[in-house]
């Protein structure tokens, strides 16, 4: 009797054991299956680059710069983004890469790209006349009869600063009465500042010429200047935060820095009509947004350009009339390097492309001093960063 009960229990234990083995076998599947691979390592973070940081510190110390911000791409990857100093000294706000700066005349390449987009759309030509019957702006502006020189100005002349008038070397109309709107300013300028040189024969950097391009963009596109640029240039480039800035300290946009005047560089950064500068100097942006803009038109090809190769070639070809200045259509160009600087009381900016090593960069400061200030910033940017082939940029992409 005891033996029979033992045998039954043993049989039950054996069945339970075999079911457990079968269950394990079912859950495991193939006996030869390998363990899943380990998770990938976390993304590599940006590491400080002493060569860059030391050059920036030396410049800031020399000129007592409140804040400096920069961004660098290598082969269209965002490899270095850094902000130094203060966005607002009085508030004690540290500058971050997310702070926006007025970019001043670096707005001109943005406007030039918008013009090239309209040309690609078949709505505009570089040889289109600007003023006169049947021209882009017709006879909308001014009260006096148009001269032959005025009627011979083309879109290309405005892009290349060869309109024959309104240059920055004398009385720049864009700094006339800050209370005037676009129409009042253009009316006054056409009536009182005649075109004294034959268009296309002489280079004289002209903010007013780019103001006119802004009005042409509006007339041809049927949209405001800012609306068309956002639609045709910024959105396709993946840029969502750029906007036109305001004039007064009370008009500061969210995350915009505070600007500081100096006696030699202009005492009051808030004395100008920034809204009226839209197409030649009105945008605000972060450095990362500006190098993203450059990557969208630089012709490298790792990021899809928003212009055709033909348009990029046209935009960066220097006409004979501007050969001494190296100015193409909205860009300074020398060989395979492009650049543009921006400068107003309270700030200096620069965007740069080095086609020899695939480096693009943008730098901005929230002060402007006189003397060699802008030149020294330019030298620092090119020598320490853009042309510095000794830097081993990390293989990271902070655009992603």
């Amino acid at each position: 009797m005891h033996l029979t009960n033992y045998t039954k229990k043993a049989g039950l234990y054996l069945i339970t054991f075999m079911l457990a083995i079968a269950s394990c076998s079912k859950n495991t599947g193939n006996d030869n299956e390998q363990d899943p691979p380990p998770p990938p390592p976390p993304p590599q973070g940006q590491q400080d680059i002493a060569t860059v940081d030391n050059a920036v510190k030396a410049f800031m110390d020399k000129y007592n710069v409140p804040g400096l911000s920069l961004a660098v791409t290598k082969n269209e990857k965002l490899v270095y983004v850094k902000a130094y100093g203060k966005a607002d000294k009085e508030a004690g706000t540290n500058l971050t890469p997310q702070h926006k700066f007025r970019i001043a005349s670096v707005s001109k390449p943005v406007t030039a790209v918008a013009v090239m987009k309209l040309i690609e759309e078949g709505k505009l030509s570089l040889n289109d006349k600007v003023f006169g019957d049947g021209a882009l702006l017709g006879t909308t502006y001014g009260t006096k009869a148009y001269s032959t020189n005025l009627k011979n100005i083309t879109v290309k002349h405005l892009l290349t600063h060869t309109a024959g008038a309104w240059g920055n070397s004398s009385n720049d109309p864009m700094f006339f009465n800050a209370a005037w709107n676009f129409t009042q300013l253009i009316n006054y300028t056409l009536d009182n500042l005649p075109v004294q040189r034959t268009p296309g024969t002489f280079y004289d950097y002209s903010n007013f010429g780019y103001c006119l391009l802004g009005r042409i963009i509006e007339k041809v596109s049927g949209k405001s200047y800012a609306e068309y640029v956002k639609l045709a240039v910024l959105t396709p480039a993946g840029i969502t935060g750029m906007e036109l800035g305001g004039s007064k300290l009370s008009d500061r946009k969210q995350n915009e820095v505070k600007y500081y005047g100096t006696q030699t560089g202009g005492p009051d950064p808030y004395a100008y009509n920034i809204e009226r500068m839209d197409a030649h100097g009105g945008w605000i942006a972060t450095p990362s947004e500006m190098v993203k803009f450059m990557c969208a038109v630089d012709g490298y090809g790792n990021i899809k350009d928003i212009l055709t190769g033909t348009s990029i070639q046209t935009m960066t070809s220097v006409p004979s009339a501007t050969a001494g200045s190296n100015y193409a259509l909205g860009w300074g160009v020398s060989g395979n390097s492009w650049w543009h600087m921006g400068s107003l009381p309270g700030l200096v900016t620069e965007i740069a492309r080095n086609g020899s090593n695939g480096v693009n960069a943008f730098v901005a400061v929230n002060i402007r001093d006189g003397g060699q200030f802008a030149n020294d910033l330019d030298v620092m940017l090119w020598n320490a960063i853009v042309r510095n082939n000794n830097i081993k940029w990390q293989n990271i992409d902070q655009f992603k």
Side-chain angles (χ1 to χ4, degrees):
M1 182 69 180
H2 294 294
L3 181 61
T4 302
N5 289 339
Y6 176 81
T7 302
K8 289 180 180 180
K9 289 180 180 180
L12 180 60
Y13 295 153
L14 179 61
I15 291 170
T16 302
F17 178 72
M18 293 303 293
L19 287 173
I21 292 176
S23 175
C24 290
S25 177
K26 182 177 180 181
N27 291 337
T28 304
N30 189 342
D31 289 342
N32 296 322
E33 183 178 320
Q34 298 180 350
D35 292 335
Q44 183 182 16
Q46 176 179 295
Q47 298 174 3
D48 290 343
I49 299 176
T51 302
V52 175
D53 295 347
N54 291 341
V56 167
K57 184 177 186 303
F59 174 80
M60 293 180 70
D61 288 348
K62 179 177 180 179
Y63 289 105
N64 195 25
V65 173
L68 183 152
S69 188
L70 58 82
V72 183
T73 63
K74 170 72 172 178
N75 297 328
E76 298 183 326
K77 294 180 178 181
L78 185 59
V79 295
Y80 206 64
V81 187
K82 197 163 183 180
Y84 311 77
K86 299 294 183 181
D88 184 332
K89 293 191 298 182
E90 290 73 21
T93 306
N94 290 331
L95 186 63
T96 72
Q98 288 72 46
H99 276 105
K100 298 179 182 181
F101 288 76
R102 293 174 177 174
I103 66 171
S105 283
V106 182
S107 299
K108 290 181 175 70
V110 176
T111 297
V113 171
V115 170
M116 298 308 295
K117 290 294 292 184
L118 284 170
I119 292 172
E120 290 185 354
E121 293 170 11
K123 298 178 180 178
L124 198 59
S125 164
L126 289 177
N127 295 321
D128 283 347
K129 299 290 181 61
V130 177
F131 295 109
D133 292 334
L136 293 168
L137 297 181
T139 57
T140 301
Y141 299 104
T143 61
K144 298 180 180 179
Y146 288 176
S147 69
T148 299
N149 279 348
L150 181 63
K151 291 189 289 187
N152 282 335
I153 293 173
T154 66
V155 171
K156 186 174 183 179
H157 294 146
L158 297 179
L159 284 167
T160 57
H161 304 291
T162 59
W166 318 311
N168 204 29
S169 63
S170 54
N171 286 329
D172 187 334
M174 292 311 303
F175 297 101
F176 290 174
N177 193 327
W180 288 346
N181 60 28
F182 289 120
T183 299
Q184 291 170 312
L185 177 68
I186 298 172
N187 286 342
Y188 177 89
T189 302
L190 295 192
D191 284 350
N192 294 279
L193 299 177
V195 183
Q196 296 180 331
R197 296 179 182 270
T198 302
T201 63
F202 183 78
Y203 171 85
D204 194 358
Y205 187 88
S206 175
N207 291 308
F208 183 74
Y210 272 73
C211 171
L212 294 176
L213 287 169
R215 312 296 64 83
I216 290 170
I217 289 170
E218 291 178 332
K219 180 71 176 292
V220 173
S221 71
K223 296 176 170 48
S224 74
Y225 166 76
E227 286 173 337
Y228 182 76
V229 170
K230 288 180 180 180
L231 175 69
V233 178
L234 302 182
T235 299
I239 298 168
T240 59
M242 278 182 67
E243 58 187 319
L244 293 176
S247 300
K248 305 299 182 183
L249 180 59
S250 58
D251 297 328
R252 278 171 73 187
K253 305 294 185 180
Q254 185 175 6
N255 285 335
E256 185 179 3
V257 300
K258 185 176 181 180
Y259 307 101
Y260 294 91
T262 66
Q263 284 303 117
T264 56
D268 187 0
Y270 298 101
Y272 301 92
N273 189 336
I274 301 299
E275 291 89 349
R276 200 176 66 190
M277 295 181 182
D278 61 351
H280 78 82
W283 289 98
I284 65 172
T286 67
S288 294
E289 289 171 329
M290 291 312 301
V291 291
K292 181 174 279 192
F293 164 72
M294 178 66 95
C295 289
V297 297
D298 61 11
Y300 290 156
N302 295 322
I303 293 177
K304 182 176 174 57
D305 292 316
I306 62 173
L307 292 176
T308 67
T310 299
S311 293
I312 293 172
Q313 179 64 37
T314 299
M315 183 177 67
T316 57
S317 295
V318 178
S320 58
T322 67
S325 68
N326 292 320
Y327 204 92
L329 282 66
W331 300 89
V333 177
S334 179
N336 56 12
S337 293
W338 314 346
W339 69 91
H340 209 294
M341 293 194 75
S343 179
L344 283 169
L347 70 121
V348 178
T349 61
E350 185 169 4
I351 194 169
R353 167 199 188 267
N354 185 353
S356 297
N357 62 11
V359 171
N360 299 332
F362 179 86
V363 65
V365 294
N366 58 348
I367 195 170
R368 184 180 75 175
D369 210 342
Q372 293 297 305
F373 181 88
N375 181 73
D376 286 353
L377 181 66
D378 172 68
V379 170
M380 186 275 292
L381 177 66
W382 283 89
N383 289 353
I385 299 173
V386 180
R387 289 200 191 103
N388 191 347
N389 293 324
N390 293 322
I391 296 177
K392 304 302 181 185
W393 301 104
Q394 290 175 262
N395 185 25
I396 58 176
D397 188 0
Q398 298 177 85
F399 282 144
K400 297 179 178 179

